[in-house]
Amino acid sequence: MKGENMSRKFFIVACNAGVATSQAVASKIKRLLEEKGFNNFDIEAVDVSTLEHHIKRADAYIAIVPNKSDYNIPKLDGVAFLTGNNMNEELDKLIEILKD
Amino acid sequence: MMENKSKYFSEDLIYRINEEISKEKLLGIISRDLTKKGYVTEDFKELILDRENDYPTGLPGNVNIAIPHTYPQHIKNEFIAVVILKEPVQFIKMATENDCLDVSIVFILGYKTGEYQVRLLQILIDEFINGKGGSIVRSIDDDKKLVDWFIENIETKLNMI
């Protein structure tokens, strides 16, 4: 397994009272990263109202709701994971964070 | 012949709209019908439109789709309504504030959160965004056959993962 000697990272996906959309994105990212051999991460789907709270301990934020705020952490396009368009580019960004 | 039985899809939840219509009017008409049929609460109509405006659900793909939904507490009986539009309706692309998208099929998701639904949503999206679902669905004129298609190609796939 890759990532065993790397520090553990935390990713969050936010949507509004998630009816599966953020969970779908979170479980897809988890599966894709595990397929690439990474296990040094946690990923959580959170409600957008609690985003400010969770963002403090997150290493990246995957967005599927409009949000202009800048949290000083990488922000990724969550729609790419739902549709598959541009998905590998976004996945590579997470992999770079995991290797860091 | 396949048994027309589904937890989510139903002939009375297939909507075919042939005239030009706005997103607001579309969601209004269907919400009223869903309320009348006992699937959702009375306030669903306002809530689903508010939520679509705040958190858009348009998704680009082989066929552009939208997946409007609201909070689980406003759902009485779980369902997925399928709206097939002859004239595309403008929705806003998910995660953006004003990127317009011409949508041809709308899925109104009436369900509560759970692992089953996460997979159902992903299968639905994959079939229509990346697969040929859009053109197949538009070629099936009979509502019962359409429900059978959804059961066979979406719902039964849940058990194969």
Side-chain angles (χ1 to χ4, degrees):
Chain A
M1 265 319 215
K2 293 172 204 167
E4 277 177 357
N5 300 317
M6 301 171 207
S7 64
R8 196 156 188 89
K9 297 294 195 297
F10 179 54
F11 303 137
I12 52 175
V13 189
C15 79
N16 188 356
V19 183
T21 320
S22 53
Q23 289 92 333
V25 171
S27 66
K28 189 154 185 184
I29 291 171
K30 185 169 187 288
R31 179 169 59 78
L32 290 168
L33 287 174
E34 283 172 354
E35 279 170 9
K36 298 261 183 193
F38 290 94
N39 61 354
N40 60 319
F41 68 93
D42 295 296
I43 186 159
E44 214 170 286
V46 305
D47 189 282
V48 74
S49 66
T50 64
L51 184 60
E52 300 284 338
H53 169 73
H54 289 287
I55 207 103
K56 291 176 204 151
R57 58 188 184 102
D59 298 289
Y61 163 52
I62 297 117
I64 53 169
V65 293
N67 192 331
K68 279 194 184 135
S69 307
D70 184 6
Y71 297 107
N72 292 318
I73 58 169
K75 182 175 160 183
L76 281 81
D77 175 15
V79 180
F81 293 100
L82 274 182
T83 64
N85 296 326
N86 226 23
M87 186 172 77
N88 289 333
E89 289 83 348
E90 294 303 291
L91 190 65
D92 284 345
K93 292 180 194 168
L94 289 178
I95 290 171
E96 283 309 306
I97 296 168
L98 290 177
K99 284 179 177 169
D100 187 21
Chain B
M1 201 59 197
M2 199 176 173
E3 182 73 12
N4 191 342
K5 184 126 181 63
S6 165
K7 186 167 161 33
Y8 293 105
F9 299 99
S10 158
E11 280 173 66
D12 73 343
L13 294 170
I14 305 275
Y15 298 90
R16 298 174 189 272
I17 309 233
N18 294 325
E19 63 271 24
E20 244 175 71
I21 193 171
S22 68
K23 172 181 74 185
E24 289 75 14
K25 201 167 171 204
L26 174 78
L27 292 177
I29 290 169
I30 293 168
S31 297
R32 269 195 297 276
D33 191 59
L34 290 170
T35 307
K36 199 178 84 191
K37 288 173 177 164
Y39 287 100
V40 299
T41 57
E42 288 283 337
D43 48 1
F44 186 81
K45 180 171 164 274
E46 283 75 38
L47 293 165
I48 197 155
L49 196 56
D50 284 354
R51 179 150 171 167
E52 188 62 31
N53 288 333
D54 290 344
Y55 305 102
T57 68
L59 290 170
N62 287 348
V63 58
N64 295 338
I65 64 170
I67 50 166
H69 52 265
T70 180
Y71 304 94
Q73 60 265 35
H74 305 288
I75 308 302
K76 290 182 179 172
N77 291 308
E78 294 195 311
F79 67 91
I80 296 176
V82 180
V83 188
I84 298 168
L85 298 159
K86 193 170 176 194
E87 306 291 335
V89 172
Q90 274 202 349
F91 276 75
I92 304 294
K93 195 181 155 215
M94 192 182 284
T96 74
E97 276 176 45
N98 44 27
D99 290 5
C100 288
L101 199 63
D102 279 334
V103 163
S104 299
I105 302 179
V106 176
F107 298 100
I108 298 176
L109 308 177
Y111 54 55
K112 328 228 175 214
T113 309
E115 183 57 28
Y116 187 83
Q117 288 87 347
V118 172
R119 278 155 49 198
L120 184 68
L121 177 64
Q122 192 61 61
I123 294 165
L124 197 62
I125 286 172
D126 287 345
E127 189 67 45
F128 286 86
I129 298 294
N130 307 310
K132 294 193 174 77
S135 52
I136 296 169
V137 156
R138 295 175 76 84
S139 74
I140 303 174
D141 292 330
D142 182 82
D143 287 353
K144 183 182 181 302
K145 284 187 182 142
L146 192 56
V147 171
D148 286 343
W149 185 89
F150 274 101
I151 295 170
E152 200 175 330
N153 292 279
I154 307 291
E155 207 166 332
T156 54
K157 278 189 189 160
L158 281 172
N159 307 319
M160 296 178 196
I161 297 168

